[in-house]
Structures are given as C-alpha cells and as structure tokens.
Amino acid sequence: MASTLLIGSTGLVGSYILSTLLADSSVTAVHTVSRRAPKSAGPTLHATVEADTTQWAAKLASIKPTPSTVYSSLGTTRAQAGGIANQWKIDHDLNVELAQTAKAAGVRHFVFVSSAGTRGLLSSSVPYSKMKRGVEDTIQRLGFETAIILRPGLIVGEREVPHQGAGVMIGAWKGLGKILGQGIQDLFGQEAEVIARAAVHAAKIAEEGKAPSKHWVLEQSDIVRLGRTEWKS
C-alpha cells in the first residue's frame, strides 16, 4: 500500500484507522483532510486542516501523487449537525462529492465505513439508513477498482462527544459479553479499533488484487474476522 487519504480522521473509527496506517511501514504517505488537526502524528502523516468542508474535494484533487486508496469514516449525528438536513449534507452529500472527486482523480480503491441495517426492511423510511445507502450506491456505481463497504453494528469506544443513549447500549453490549460470551457480543457491536483494522486489512487485500469482488461488503462477522481473528500487526 503506497499513498492513502483518510477522511474522518478525528472521529472514533477514523482516529483508529489513522493510527493503524501510521504504524504500517508499507504505507509511504497518509494524507488527511479535516476540520481540526488529528491527534496522531508520525513521519508519514500529511495533514490538511480546512474548516470549510466545501473545499475538501479540491484539497483531495490536489494531492499528488494521487492516493491509491481513500478511506472515509466521515459522519456526524443529528444533534451535532443541528438537524437532519445538516446531517444529510455531511453524511450523504459530502461523502458523495468526495467519492466522485476521488474517482475523477484516479483513486483505485475506496473504503467507506457505513452501518449495519442499511438494507433492512424498514431502512427505506429511516433517514440515517437512507444517507448511508445513498453513499454506498454511489461508491459502487462509480466503478472503482475495488469499492469496500463496512457495515458495523454498535460502534464501541470512547467518543469525545458521547452519542445520546450510547452509554446504555454499550453497557448492555458489555453485559452480553459477560453472560453469553464474545461470540454473541460480536453479533451486535464491534470495537472501533477492530473496525479500523478491518478497513485497513481489506484495503491491503484489495491492493494485492485479492479482493473477493469488485464491490466488497463487510458485514459484522467479516469485520470481526479481518479486524481481530486474522489481524496481524
């Protein structure tokens, strides 16, 4: 894996993707574009801080040489965004714009951290699922050499700004593990670090030309397998 670009480097999963990439000697350059500086640092990091998200696509297009892989773990919440319309601009519109720009720039592989349940029976009436599904469809339609979609369940980890109700859900998730074991626990949620490792592992497989399909969807069991069971640091 040569040069990469990460969007969403300051979020929970994104911060782990960044630290994983920076620790990988096979990655020659790690570019980030974010509103604020990422917490991790390293000699291969090239961080661009840009508060105006309308400039992010141009920043992506200006990176030379073009990254071979782009990761996006970009996302916010309705509360943080100030309403569903503003959340849509970030979770859907900005992700779509960045994917389109990446394709036009010649990026070969695109990795998107989506969410479980985007294709469920009730998902068509849930705004959050509609956002994620719209981005997934766009990435697959653009024709990258490999489009990798991760669909984690409950994302477990310490957030800077806790999500409403997340504490209760994570407490229940931990309780499941204590009572029924990690296997049952993994059916409902995954640690942010495991998700990040799965994203990087999948991208490496794609870079080697060994992805099982051009449109590769990683459900929760796949995330656990690539991010924990088969992970080699």
Side-chain angles (χ1 to χ4, degrees):
M1 190 184 298
S3 176
T4 64
L5 168 65
L6 170 60
I7 305 294
S9 60
T10 61
L12 178 56
V13 174
S15 63
Y16 278 111
I17 293 176
L18 178 57
S19 61
T20 302
L21 290 171
L22 292 176
D24 191 333
S25 60
S26 71
V27 181
T28 59
V30 183
H31 298 271
T32 62
V33 180
S34 55
R35 288 191 178 112
R36 51 194 173 87
K39 290 184 176 180
S40 295
T44 57
L45 176 61
H46 304 271
T48 297
V49 177
E50 175 55 72
D52 183 0
T53 58
T54 66
Q55 299 300 311
W56 285 13
K59 298 294 184 183
L60 188 164
S62 70
I63 296 172
K64 301 298 178 186
T66 300
S68 60
T69 299
V70 169
Y71 299 82
S72 178
S73 59
L74 177 66
T76 185
T77 65
R78 185 183 307 188
Q80 289 175 309
I84 193 68
N86 288 332
Q87 185 185 13
W88 189 280
K89 292 176 183 178
I90 299 297
D91 282 43
H92 180 274
D93 296 350
L94 184 54
N95 269 312
V96 165
E97 181 184 18
L98 292 169
Q100 292 170 335
T101 303
K103 176 59 180 176
V107 171
R108 296 167 55 209
H109 313 287
F110 199 98
V111 182
F112 176 58
V113 181
S114 186
S115 177
T118 58
R119 306 287 163 171
L121 292 175
L122 302 177
S123 63
S124 61
S125 61
V126 178
Y128 182 77
S129 295
K130 290 172 68 176
M131 294 177 206
K132 297 298 186 183
R133 190 169 65 247
V135 180
E136 288 183 15
D137 290 346
T138 297
I139 293 169
Q140 293 186 354
R141 190 166 55 244
L142 284 170
F144 289 98
E145 187 174 317
T146 318
I148 301 171
I149 309 296
L150 285 85
R151 294 179 181 159
L154 175 67
I155 299 175
V156 181
E158 295 294 328
R159 299 178 184 272
E160 290 185 0
V161 181
H163 289 185
Q164 186 176 9
V168 174
M169 290 188 290
I170 291 174
W173 179 84
K174 290 179 178 179
L176 277 175
K178 291 178 181 179
I179 297 170
L180 300 175
Q182 190 173 63
I184 298 298
Q185 195 178 47
D186 287 338
L187 295 175
F188 298 95
Q190 295 78 47
E191 300 96 329
E193 186 172 16
V194 170
I195 299 166
R197 288 174 172 178
V200 174
H201 193 169
K204 281 191 169 186
I205 292 171
E207 288 274 5
E208 294 169 358
K210 298 178 181 179
S213 63
K214 183 180 178 67
H215 302 148
W216 188 10
V217 177
L218 276 64
E219 303 291 357
Q220 295 180 73
S221 60
D222 302 307
I223 290 170
V224 171
R225 176 174 56 82
L226 291 178
R228 186 193 301 138
T229 308
E230 298 179 5
W231 173 256
K232 296 179 181 180
S233 57

